[in-house]
Amino acid sequence: MHYDAAERIIKRYDLTGAGATAVSSLFSTTEELSASFGVFGVVFLMISVLSFTRAAQRVFEQAWELKPLSVRNTRNGSWWILTLGGYTVVITLLSAFLGGYALGLVALVCEVPVTAAFLVWSGWILSAKRIRWPDLLPFGFTGAVLMAAYAVGATIYMPRLFNSSATHYGVVGAVFAMISALFGVMLVLVASAALGREVRDELSRIRQGRRPSDREVRRQWDNVVEQARSRWRTARGEISHHQIKGSNH
């Protein structure tokens, strides 16, 4: 099991050298070590999984301004964890079977609708079904697209991060790299939730006919343009100042 996990990470990010060695060492344990820490590991894993579920739950509660349920939503959180496992299996299979076509773009395109469906389900179940699934569609679509973009960036950057961290910190460096990757995923999730909520609210206002007047739209656009011009003038002035200062030296 540990070997398979290491192999999936190595193949997913095309790791070589110090990065691949660190990941293999991280997921390889002796039988004595596994027997000694088996019970402790299971307890720690359960606590970590529940904490992760609470964190994901709070994202939706805060983005949609819902009353926090905390441990009262444990049952729905457990269902979400099971679904997360199934989603991971599906994504892994898509990557394994389709990852070799068109530089992995075929697998990436097929993963987008799967990710969108999973994100919509996540918001619905983690909010204790307080958010209607049609209201979650903008979030699901936005999150799936951003996740795909993040996956492309991670494929390019993560091998360098793994190798650099492993060279400086050894096996622990692989842990740092994986934490950084998970942090990036959660950052994308939070941004998608906030953006999805704003898009849903804007669409609701449009359907209800509460559109701003043309004068208000023009005023806001002029403010944006003026702010952009002001920042450009400031930046250009600072560049000119540094150039003059450099020429004097």
Side-chain angles (χ1 to χ4, degrees), residues 12-13 52 59 115 119 139 142-155 157-158 161-162 175-193:
R12 173 64 180 81
Y13 296 110
F52 176 68
V59 168
T115 301
L119 292 178
F139 157 69
T142 303
V145 173
L146 292 181
M147 284 289 188
Y150 176 79
V152 174
T155 302
Y157 178 71
M158 288 305 296
L161 179 61
F162 269 102
V175 178
F176 293 158
M178 287 189 289
I179 291 176
S180 300
L182 292 175
F183 175 78
V185 172
M186 292 305 298
L187 185 63
V188 170
L189 180 63
V190 172
S192 301

Side-chain angles (χ1 to χ4, degrees), residues 76-176:
N76 289 326
S78 300
W79 280 112
W80 180 73
I81 287 296
L82 293 176
T83 310
L84 176 62
Y87 165 75
T88 304
V89 170
V90 173
I91 293 299
T92 301
L93 291 176
L94 287 175
S95 178
F97 288 108
L98 301 177
Y101 297 97
L103 300 177
L105 294 179
V106 175
L108 194 63
V109 171
C110 294
E111 290 173 6
V112 169
V114 177
T115 301
F118 172 71
L119 292 178
V120 171
W121 160 262
S122 299
W124 183 71
I125 197 68
L126 289 178
S127 66
K129 307 175 184 179
R130 289 176 291 175
I131 307 176
R132 298 183 307 117
W133 70 265
D135 295 335
L136 289 164
L137 290 178
F139 157 69
F141 177 77
T142 303
V145 173
L146 292 181
M147 284 289 188
Y150 176 79
V152 174
T155 302
I156 299 173
Y157 178 71
M158 288 305 296
R160 182 184 306 175
L161 179 61
F162 269 102
N163 291 332
S164 176
S165 299
T167 301
H168 287 86
Y169 306 106
V171 177
V172 180
V175 178
F176 293 158

Side-chain angles (χ1 to χ4, degrees), residues 4-246:
D4 291 341
E7 283 297 312
R8 283 196 294 269
I9 294 176
I10 292 172
K11 290 181 179 180
R12 173 64 180 81
Y13 296 110
D14 195 20
L15 300 181
T16 57
T21 303
V23 172
S24 298
S25 300
L26 179 65
F27 285 92
S28 63
T29 57
T30 61
E31 294 181 359
E32 292 80 4
L33 187 63
S34 299
S36 301
F37 291 92
V39 177
F40 175 78
V42 170
V43 174
F44 183 76
L45 177 62
M46 292 178 62
I47 295 175
S48 301
V49 168
L50 291 175
S51 299
F52 176 68
T53 304
R54 299 285 181 275
Q57 176 181 319
R58 285 193 294 270
V59 168
F60 296 101
E61 290 176 341
Q62 293 177 4
W64 269 265
E65 301 177 356
L66 301 175
K67 182 180 178 180
L69 293 180
S70 188
V71 296
R72 290 173 292 176
N73 200 34
T74 301
R75 181 178 179 181
N76 289 326
S78 300
W79 280 112
W80 180 73
I81 287 296
L82 293 176
T83 310
L84 176 62
Y87 165 75
T88 304
V89 170
V90 173
I91 293 299
T92 301
L93 291 176
L94 287 175
S95 178
F97 288 108
L98 301 177
Y101 297 97
L103 300 177
L105 294 179
V106 175
L108 194 63
V109 171
C110 294
E111 290 173 6
V112 169
V114 177
T115 301
F118 172 71
L119 292 178
V120 171
W121 160 262
S122 299
W124 183 71
I125 197 68
L126 289 178
S127 66
K129 307 175 184 179
R130 289 176 291 175
I131 307 176
R132 298 183 307 117
W133 70 265
D135 295 335
L136 289 164
L137 290 178
F139 157 69
F141 177 77
T142 303
V145 173
L146 292 181
M147 284 289 188
Y150 176 79
V152 174
T155 302
I156 299 173
Y157 178 71
M158 288 305 296
R160 182 184 306 175
L161 179 61
F162 269 102
N163 291 332
S164 176
S165 299
T167 301
H168 287 86
Y169 306 106
V171 177
V172 180
V175 178
F176 293 158
M178 287 189 289
I179 291 176
S180 300
L182 292 175
F183 175 78
V185 172
M186 292 305 298
L187 185 63
V188 170
L189 180 63
V190 172
S192 301
L195 184 58
R197 170 66 190 275
E198 290 299 322
V199 171
R200 195 269 296 180
D201 290 346
E202 185 63 26
L203 292 176
S204 297
R205 285 191 290 266
I206 293 175
R207 284 195 297 265
Q208 295 172 5
R210 294 185 296 160
R211 299 181 61 181
S213 62
D214 294 339
R215 179 179 299 180
E216 180 65 19
V217 173
R218 172 59 62 179
R219 186 185 67 81
Q220 293 180 2
W221 174 253
D222 290 341
N223 289 337
V224 171
V225 172
E226 181 58 31
Q227 290 178 5
R229 289 175 177 173
S230 177
R231 292 176 181 177
W232 167 248
R233 288 194 294 266
T234 302
R236 187 171 58 181
E238 292 179 354
I239 294 174
S240 300
H241 176 72
H242 288 299
Q243 289 177 345
I244 295 174
K245 186 176 180 180

